[in-house]
Amino acid sequence: MRVRRTLVAAARGLALAVAAEAGSVVLLVLVLLSLALLVIGVGVLTTPVVLTWARRHADLRRVWAHALSGVRIPAGYRPFPPGLRRGPAGQWRRCAVMLRDPATWRELLWLVVDLSVGLALALLPATLVVYGAGFVLLPVVQGLTGAGGELLGVGSLTVDHPLLLLVAPVLGAGMLWLAWRGNPALLRAHFRLAAVFLAPPQAELADRVARLTETRADAVDASAAELRRIERDLHDGAQARLVAMGMDLGVVAALIEKDPARAKELVGRARESSAEALAELRDLVRGIHPPVLAERGLGDAVRALALRMAVPVEVTVELPRRLTAPVESAAYFAVGELLTNAAKHSGADRIAVDLRHVDGRLRVTVRDDGRGGAAVRPAGAGGGAEGSGLRGVARRLGTFDGVLTVDSPAGGPTSVTMEIPCA
């Protein structure tokens, strides 16, 4: 596997050097030429087009950086003003916006660096593999053809240079060892170098602020929805029963001397209404914060939840200690929503829940052997009840800066993983 990663990194670096760097050369020349044409006015028409090509080229490198090395490079372009029209006037405004955007000049500087240090980092993995193998095999090639040095471009190594023939395999082995140890890191360094120039300053902080703003709005909406649910349950359930019980007791007071039998019947009905109201209040409290969760923690609460499911649920818990109450509550209700979704929509025969604490995060995985096809779909996308449930879970976790990932190919199985930061 390590050898495979080494060779794949070398091939990808070579492809980057051939394709991407060629694009950087062409775009750098076109951008500089177009900027020079601004002096005579023609550049106003050509510069927006060329800079758009450069942005697409940079966006492609961003995609490759994440796909090949897991390096994220935010864009951070300034938006164009609304109502931007076509024609010379609109083109002039578009040109002005792009030239005033710091991202444009960062990309221009990146094109220059990409053709020097970036090219070297892209070519180095393939160079280490090719020349390392060549130097190791150099004595054999020299003995068979007498032209081993010319094949590698290092001059002729003949019997007049026996020391070089001895040193070459050692040097080649060292290059292959460097490739084996460092090729993926060299490819990642190429993309990290691009990130230094392409990512806007404090991009991570800006992304963090944007996410916190979004999760704050979700928290406010979720809190308001929860309050409305509690109010509705109280109004339609316990409150209605208590009002009916009060009316029955009022009738009892009027009938207790005239019709004792009827009064006794109403007292019995009032007792039943009070018991039902008490049960509904207990269910409501359990829905806000289950007693088993408060008393015994997340692991036992999820086990109790699993016992109430119609589908067999296996629960595995590896938590070193109790977590904070808000985290336990969020995880408990998220697991409950996922189990309900799996039981209702997946057609699963078995469900497995795994809770563990890993690297300062609570990781919860819910797997089922159902039909699959589950996804977190945005509101209004026709995701159905299951898509809506997963979206609600994602919003609940977002309040705690948590994430939800879904792996559910058609035909199953489905695996949903939740991670919540917690000490």
Side-chain angles (χ1 to χ4, degrees):
M1 183 63 70
R2 190 66 174 268
V3 172
R4 180 178 177 274
R5 287 200 298 266
T6 300
L7 296 178
V8 167
R12 288 172 174 173
L14 187 61
L16 276 173
V18 173
E21 306 297 340
S24 296
V25 171
V26 173
L27 286 171
L28 180 61
V29 172
L30 290 177
V31 169
L32 294 177
L33 181 61
S34 184
L35 293 177
L37 292 176
L38 286 173
V39 179
I40 59 176
V42 179
V44 174
L45 301 176
T46 61
T47 299
V49 177
V50 174
L51 290 181
T52 300
W53 292 347
R55 289 186 175 187
R56 291 176 180 173
H57 179 65
D59 287 340
L60 182 61
R61 193 67 60 93
R62 291 184 176 97
V63 172
W64 289 351
H66 183 252
L68 302 182
S69 294
V71 177
R72 296 183 179 273
I73 308 178
Y77 297 117
R78 288 182 179 176
F80 290 106
L84 192 61
R85 296 177 296 178
R86 298 184 179 274
Q91 197 75 346
W92 180 86
R93 290 190 64 191
R94 187 176 287 104
C95 179
V97 171
M98 298 183 81
L99 290 179
R100 290 172 184 164
D101 191 347
T104 299
W105 303 102
R106 289 197 303 268
E107 284 184 356
L108 183 60
L109 183 58
W110 167 68
L111 289 175
V112 177
V113 175
D114 197 42
L115 297 175
S116 52
V117 183
L119 178 62
L121 288 174
L123 283 175
L124 194 54
T127 301
L128 289 175
V129 171
V130 172
Y131 273 84
F135 281 129
V136 168
L137 298 176
L138 183 61
V140 178
V141 176
Q142 178 70 21
L144 294 177
T145 66
E150 289 87 343
L151 293 176
L152 290 175
V154 295
S156 177
L157 296 179
T158 63
V159 290
D160 297 330
H161 306 86
L163 182 60
L164 292 179
L165 289 176
L166 293 176
V167 171
V170 179
L171 179 62
M175 296 175 72
L176 289 177
W177 182 82
L178 289 175
W180 181 70
R181 295 286 297 178
N183 266 12
L186 288 172
L187 190 64
R188 194 176 302 111
H190 170 88
F191 292 120
R192 291 194 181 278
L193 177 68
V196 170
F197 294 93
L198 293 179
Q202 299 181 338
E204 184 175 352
L205 178 60
D207 290 343
R208 176 72 171 166
V209 170
R211 174 159 177 80
L212 288 177
T213 302
E214 179 184 355
T215 56
R216 182 186 63 183
D218 288 341
V220 172
D221 293 342
S223 178
E226 188 71 8
L227 288 175
R228 288 194 299 270
R229 182 187 70 82
I230 294 172
E231 181 183 8
R232 184 179 63 251
D233 290 345
L234 285 173
H235 182 273
D236 298 342
Q239 179 177 321
R241 295 190 183 280
L242 290 174
V243 170
M245 185 175 64
M247 295 175 63
D248 288 341
L249 291 176
V251 175
V252 168
L255 295 177
I256 194 168
E257 295 181 356
K258 298 179 182 179
D259 191 352
R262 176 62 177 166
K264 183 177 181 181
E265 180 184 348
L266 291 177
V267 168
R269 192 166 71 179
R271 186 187 302 111
E272 293 176 359
S273 295
S274 66
E276 292 175 355
L278 180 61
E280 291 182 356
L281 287 174
R282 286 174 175 170
D283 290 339
L284 183 62
V285 171
R286 188 178 295 109
I288 297 173
H289 194 73
V292 65
L293 180 62
E295 295 171 2
R296 305 187 62 179
L298 180 61
D300 288 339
V302 171
R303 291 190 181 99
L305 188 64
L307 292 176
R308 296 198 297 267
M309 299 299 298
V311 180
V313 179
E314 178 184 352
V315 179
T316 303
V317 180
E318 294 185 10
L319 299 177
R321 62 187 66 85
R322 289 288 300 270
L323 306 176
T324 58
V327 171
E328 286 189 336
S329 179
Y332 173 83
F333 287 108
V335 171
E337 183 70 30
L338 294 177
L339 291 178
T340 302
N341 279 344
K344 285 185 176 180
H345 307 291
S346 70
D349 295 323
R350 297 193 64 83
I351 304 175
V353 181
D354 181 81
L355 299 94
R356 62 185 66 240
H357 190 271
V358 181
D359 298 331
R361 303 174 74 87
L362 171 64
R363 180 179 298 167
V364 182
T365 304
V366 179
R367 300 183 182 88
D368 67 68
D369 56 359
R371 64 177 64 93
V376 183
R377 300 178 178 89
E386 186 174 9
S388 175
L390 292 175
R391 184 172 65 252
V393 172
R395 293 182 62 184
R396 183 189 294 271
L397 297 180
T399 307
F400 296 86
D401 203 19
V403 295
L404 179 141
T405 56
V406 180
D407 181 15
S408 181
T414 296
S415 176
V416 181
T417 301
M418 303 176 290
E419 291 190 355
I420 306 176
C422 58

